[in-house]
Amino acid sequence: MSDTILIIGACGQIGTELTQKLREIYGNQQVIASDIREGNDEMKRSGPFEILDATDKEGILKTVQKHQVTQVYLMAAMLSATAEQHPQKAWELNMNSLLAVLELAKEKHIKQVYWPSSIAAFGPTSPKVQTPQKTIMEPSTVYGISKLAGEHWCNYYHEKFGVDVRSLRYPGIISWKTKPGGGTTDYAVDIYFKALEEQKYECFLTEETRLPMMYMQDAIAATIQIMQADAEKIKNRTSYNLAAMSFTPKEIAAAIQKEIPEFTISYKADFRQQIADSWPQIIDDSDARNDWGWQQHFDLDAMTKDMLKNLS
Ligand code: AKB
């Protein structure tokens, strides 16, 4: 394959594993990892690494030209909980980085762009169960507003300038290699670490808070699958709903208890409860399944077994 890929935000939760997988597929030298902070040894040893500010269009252009980049995966973002603490900064990072990359694609410096949206693009007035691909979207968080606006920028650049930009509305992503930071769904990662370290966990959401979630392997597979799909299969240029499972803190705790019977959970809801309450519970992703063949592999029990095996 002749593509050269730049990952912006390669040191984050998804970026780290995406970099590894893309290097396996395309070859180490074809995948340039970049982040505003220094990458870990493994990331720098296995292929090229650049320090890059996601909002610096000129810096991105220089990196694109230096490595003759054809595709950009823009993974840098401020997530929901942190964004509520720093609304202005979140807007600047989440929007300026996207507009910089879309402009570079419009100017034909790159051929293809991947940009993640989120279930956060929905809001309290969206249907909570089987949330459709197209429905009322009135997000009540800064992060959600930036994701919804970003989706429409993607669609606009595609319609007006023919930019080949593809996007998925990620649910909460669960993984063991790199911890997420600043998200509302992060409890579903922390709980596994605490289950092994302390056999107990205090959850910042209430026991019945149901949210859409996905194991990292599935998220990476979906991301690469949509980028490799034939262009005519991508009928939606805002962002595709994507789903694998939905569960509550009580249900994930029960799944952990099957493996660690002494594990206990307690609940102390904080400001993140309001964010979670504004999001869908179960997503209808039939467009992604029908248009380009999306299918998940992990359910809650399979993910729990794999998480605990890898962490212990
Ligand atoms: C968050 O919790 O902010 C993210 C997301 C659902 O996009 N994991």
Side-chain angles (χ1 to χ4, degrees), residues 13-14 78-83 116-121 141 143 147 169-173 180-187 204 211-213 275 279:
Q13 185 203 14
I14 303 176
M78 195 184 287
L79 297 186
S80 57
T82 312
S117 184
S118 159
I119 54 163
T141 62
Y143 176 64
K147 288 298 179 189
R169 289 176 183 148
Y170 287 140
I173 307 293
T184 303
T185 57
D186 294 6
Y187 91 85
F204 56 75
L211 288 171
M213 301 278 184
I275 301 176
W279 289 350

Side-chain angles (χ1 to χ4, degrees), residues 134-153:
K134 285 189 198 300
T135 186
I136 300 168
M137 296 179 85
E138 298 179 319
S140 55
T141 62
V142 176
Y143 176 64
I145 296 168
S146 75
K147 288 298 179 189
L148 184 58
E151 287 189 10
H152 286 283
W153 276 119

Side-chain angles (χ1 to χ4, degrees), residues 23 28-34 43-44 46-50 67:
R23 282 182 174 166
N28 288 347
Q29 295 310 312
Q30 299 303 111
V31 179
I32 293 87
S34 76
M43 187 175 284
K44 289 191 290 186
S46 67
F49 182 87
E50 301 279 352
H67 295 277

Side-chain angles (χ1 to χ4, degrees), residues 78-149:
M78 195 184 287
L79 297 186
S80 57
T82 312
E84 288 308 292
Q85 320 286 349
H86 307 282
Q88 193 73 35
K89 269 195 187 156
W91 180 258
E92 279 164 21
L93 171 60
N94 295 358
M95 284 295 92
N96 293 350
S97 57
L98 176 61
L99 289 172
V101 171
L102 289 175
E103 275 294 302
L104 292 176
K106 175 187 151 190
E107 292 160 7
K108 308 260 183 272
H109 296 292
I110 45 180
K111 290 193 190 133
Q112 216 188 2
V113 176
Y114 177 78
W115 177 79
S117 184
S118 159
I119 54 163
F122 296 105
T125 52
S126 308
K128 291 241 173 272
V129 175
Q130 289 303 112
T131 311
Q133 175 67 42
K134 285 189 198 300
T135 186
I136 300 168
M137 296 179 85
E138 298 179 319
S140 55
T141 62
V142 176
Y143 176 64
I145 296 168
S146 75
K147 288 298 179 189
L148 184 58

